[in-house]
């Protein structure tokens, strides 16, 4: 398998960085071809690389997570994100022994295909196992809200955030977890951004800003003794100051 991977990686590098060259008009070596007509050749290299790895997988199976990740990268470079996600969710995905790593990669691939619901489901599964997983918290919120967030999507995220707190309470030392409280800050910030983009009345925006200030204060009360606390809330306090919400910031 090692030699197969060497050949495949060489093809990937050639496809990624290769160019068509032609003699320079002044005779001083070579220059990139004016038409840059390399896309078909590069595509064929990637197709060949995929075929070689899939043949290996079908005949004897891939022996290592490294081989699987190379195949995933070959598929990604061809824009085959759905096929890559399906591969990870099949038997081959078991080569990645850390479930969190596998689910995070699947979520990224599903997002690339525009399947935000499937991506959110992967992040939700991560949070059920670890309510303090900040990457999964933000990933779920991003996938659920999408490009055009509305009240329905915001409410789904807020229910998830409250569920994090409930899950944490049932864990030993769950009250020490920063993620659930910081998730409340993140959701309050998302609410504030939606309110600001919607051009609503000032009173509503002010109330949303005060809600953000309240959850930030709760976070500081619970975790302010940590060295990371100031960095954790920087984005939220900046949003209050730069948004002109002076009373809330104070």
């Amino acid at each position: 398998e090692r030699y197969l991977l060497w050949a495949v990686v060489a093809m990937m590098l050639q496809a990624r960085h290769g160019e068509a060259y032609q003699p320079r008009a002044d005779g001083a070596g070579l220059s990139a071809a004016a038409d840059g007509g390399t896309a078909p050749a590069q595509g064929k290299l990637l197709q060949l690389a995929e075929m070689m790895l899939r043949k290996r997988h079908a005949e004897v199976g891939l022996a290592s997570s490294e081989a699987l990740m190379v195949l995933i990268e070959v598929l990604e470079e061809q824009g085959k994100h759905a096929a890559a996600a399906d591969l990870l969710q099949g038997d081959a995905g078991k080569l990645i022994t850390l479930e969190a790593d596998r689910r995070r990669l699947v979520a990224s691939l599903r997002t690339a295909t525009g399947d935000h619901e499937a991506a959110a489901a992967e992040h939700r599964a991560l949070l059920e196992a670890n309510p303090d997983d900040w990457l999964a918290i933000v990933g779920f919120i991003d996938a659920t809200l999408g490009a055009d967030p509305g009240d329905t999507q915001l409410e789904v995220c807020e229910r998830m955030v409250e569920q994090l707190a409930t899950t944490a309470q049932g864990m030993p030392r769950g009250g020490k977890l920063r993620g659930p409280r910081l998730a409340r800050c993140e959701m309050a910030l998302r609410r504030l951004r939606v309110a600001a983009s919607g051009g609503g009345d000032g009173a509503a925006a002010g109330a949303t800003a005060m809600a953000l200030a309240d959850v930030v204060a709760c976070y500081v009360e619970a975790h302010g003794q940590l060295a990371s606390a100031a960095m954790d809330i920087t984005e939220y306090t900046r949003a209050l100051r730069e948004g002109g919400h002076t009373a809330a910031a104070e």
Side-chain angles (χ1 to χ4, degrees):
E1 186 172 277
R2 180 191 309 172
Y3 302 109
L4 172 64
L5 292 180
W6 286 352
V8 168
V9 170
M11 290 178 190
M12 290 174 62
L13 291 173
Q14 187 175 352
R16 188 179 297 168
H17 302 293
E19 290 185 293
Y21 289 95
Q22 63 185 11
R24 287 167 55 107
D26 58 7
L30 301 175
S31 64
D35 61 3
T38 60
Q42 291 170 347
K44 288 179 181 178
L45 282 171
L46 291 172
Q47 290 170 12
L48 178 58
E50 178 188 349
M51 183 187 69
M52 292 168 64
L53 285 171
R54 283 196 179 277
K55 184 173 185 292
R56 169 79 178 185
H57 177 48
E59 291 179 349
V60 297
L62 300 176
S64 66
S65 60
E66 289 80 6
L68 174 61
M69 291 308 299
V70 170
L71 177 52
I72 294 298
E73 191 169 349
V74 169
L75 292 169
E76 283 189 277
E77 297 230 356
Q78 297 178 86
K80 298 179 179 180
H81 299 97
D86 291 342
L87 185 65
L88 282 170
Q89 292 184 305
D91 289 339
K94 296 175 183 177
L95 289 168
I96 300 178
T97 55
L98 291 177
E99 182 181 4
D101 290 346
R102 183 171 65 253
R103 285 191 178 278
R104 217 179 299 281
L105 183 53
V106 170
S108 175
L109 291 166
R110 294 300 184 195
T111 298
T113 67
D115 191 349
H116 298 292
E117 183 176 348
E122 294 296 329
H123 290 301
R124 186 62 179 264
L126 287 168
L127 291 170
E128 289 173 358
N130 178 15
D132 202 37
D133 187 335
W134 181 245
L135 289 177
I137 290 170
V138 175
F140 179 88
I141 293 172
D142 287 341
T144 303
L145 296 184
D148 186 23
D151 285 339
T152 300
Q153 293 93 331
L154 287 165
E155 289 167 4
V156 169
C157 292
E158 287 166 344
R159 286 197 297 271
M160 180 276 296
V161 167
E162 294 310 310
Q163 182 60 46
L164 291 181
T166 302
T167 303
Q169 288 172 4
M171 300 172 63
R173 298 179 63 81
K176 301 290 186 181
L177 299 181
R178 294 152 56 209
R181 288 189 180 89
L182 201 58
R184 285 176 173 154
C185 298
E186 183 67 23
M187 278 311 305
L189 176 61
R190 302 297 180 105
R191 277 273 183 196
L192 181 60
R193 287 174 175 169
V194 170
S197 65
D201 61 75
T208 306
M210 288 302 299
L212 173 56
D214 288 343
V215 291
V216 169
C218 290
Y219 182 84
V220 172
E221 182 178 354
H223 304 291
Q225 77 280 6
L226 299 176
S228 62
M231 184 65 69
D232 289 343
I233 64 172
T234 294
E235 182 178 4
Y236 310 116
T237 55
R238 181 189 299 122
L240 291 173
R241 291 194 308 271
E242 295 179 355
H245 305 290
T246 307
E250 292 176 351

